[in-house]
Amino acid sequence: MRVLIWLGALLPLLYAALRFSVEFHPQWLYDGLVYLEGYVHLVLTRTPTDPLKFLSDLVGNSALWLLALTLLVTPLRSYIGINLLKYRRLLGLFAFFYALIHALMFIGIDQQFDLFGVQHEVMTKPFIAFGMGAFLILFLMALTSSKKLFAKFRSWHKLVYIAVVLIAIHYLMSHKTITLTNVTVVGTLFLLLALRLVKR
Ligand code: HEM
């Protein structure tokens, strides 16, 4: 199971590597990917036109969905008796890993590590402030996720509820328009929170 999680969680990086190396693909791989494109709802055979936005969106979405999977662990156990608790930390750390790349791309590439610039963006753009708030919570949770620290700081992990609300707002605001896809993504996050809150 652990191997499956590693392989699944690293798929976004494989996807990025595939997109950035399209020009070097041997013909058999290119043909295979064209064939696969017919079945999956993904572009596989074109280099991204805006590489930075492509990467930032990819890691942002990966963080969001890995966090959603982390939130699914508790309801899976309480509603259908599937116990994946021992894999929750790994899933959460992968969610944080992608959130870290997403945040570092903003701080390092957008803002050139100018912390006053970052502060200015946080103060003037609410969607950046919501993202930053969520990131700081995930950072705190990752720091206190070892067995020993989790026992001590267990109650801090309830902050995940706030992080998810902040991420949902950050996500909606970054898209500017409300589409069925956006509503479905946010609905999924809130449903997962609700399932955890309603004790059985
Ligand atoms: C330091 C904190 C953060 C900053 C500065 C930040 C910044 C950004 C920026 C600049 C965008 C792109 C907006 C655009 O394309 O115009 C974005 C989109 C997004 N962010 Fe963040 N973000 C942060 C934290 C997070 C966190 C913690 C998550 C999830 C766990 C997240 C998930 C997303 C998602 C899913 C998108 C939308 C990507 C898409 O267009 O499909 N962000 N963020």
Side-chain angles (χ1 to χ4, degrees):
M1 188 67 182
R2 214 163 269 280
V3 177
L4 262 185
I5 295 176
W6 270 87
L7 290 178
L10 291 176
L11 275 181
L13 294 186
L14 175 69
Y15 176 58
L18 264 184
R19 290 289 301 273
F20 284 117
S21 60
V22 169
E23 296 190 16
F24 307 101
H25 288 172
Q27 194 60 38
W28 63 265
L29 179 59
Y30 184 81
D31 292 343
L33 292 174
V34 170
Y35 179 76
L36 205 63
E37 263 178 346
Y39 292 94
V40 294
H41 197 68
L42 278 178
V43 178
L44 298 170
T45 53
R46 255 184 294 125
T47 314
T49 41
D50 182 343
L52 287 181
K53 177 156 172 53
F54 165 78
L55 257 188
S56 170
D57 289 353
L58 179 70
V59 291
N61 281 299
S62 307
L64 185 151
W65 285 111
L66 280 159
L67 186 65
L69 283 180
T70 313
L71 290 175
L72 187 62
V73 170
T74 302
L76 268 185
R77 191 179 63 152
S78 43
Y79 288 87
I80 36 181
I82 298 178
N83 190 350
L84 299 175
L85 260 187
K86 61 174 179 241
Y87 306 112
R88 189 167 62 178
R89 174 167 185 252
L90 184 60
L91 284 168
L93 284 177
F94 268 121
F96 173 68
F97 166 69
Y98 284 109
L100 180 66
I101 304 179
H102 184 71
L104 281 180
M105 284 188 75
F106 175 77
I107 297 167
I109 301 175
D110 265 44
Q111 301 298 316
Q112 304 280 309
F113 292 106
D114 169 10
L115 294 187
F116 290 110
V118 174
Q119 186 193 7
H120 179 260
E121 291 294 292
V122 169
M123 307 291 267
T124 53
K125 294 192 180 137
F127 101 90
I128 298 284
F130 288 120
M132 189 59 84
F135 176 71
L136 292 177
I137 293 177
L138 295 186
F139 184 57
L140 208 71
M141 290 173 61
L143 273 185
T144 56
S145 67
S146 68
K147 224 177 209 164
K148 219 166 143 192
L149 288 177
F150 183 72
K152 207 166 162 192
F153 295 100
R154 196 186 185 95
S155 58
W156 289 24
H157 285 241
K158 294 224 163 28
L159 286 173
V160 75
Y161 294 104
I162 297 175
V164 171
V165 174
L166 295 179
I167 289 166
I169 303 174
H170 172 73
Y171 172 83
L172 282 181
M173 287 180 88
S174 81
H175 279 251
K176 295 179 187 93
T177 51
I178 296 201
T179 62
L180 183 63
T181 312
N182 298 344
V183 174
T184 312
V185 170
V186 170
T188 308
L189 287 179
F190 285 147
L191 177 68
L192 286 168
L193 279 193
L195 286 177
R196 283 171 61 101
L197 279 170
V198 180
K199 295 261 185 301
R200 279 185 26 123

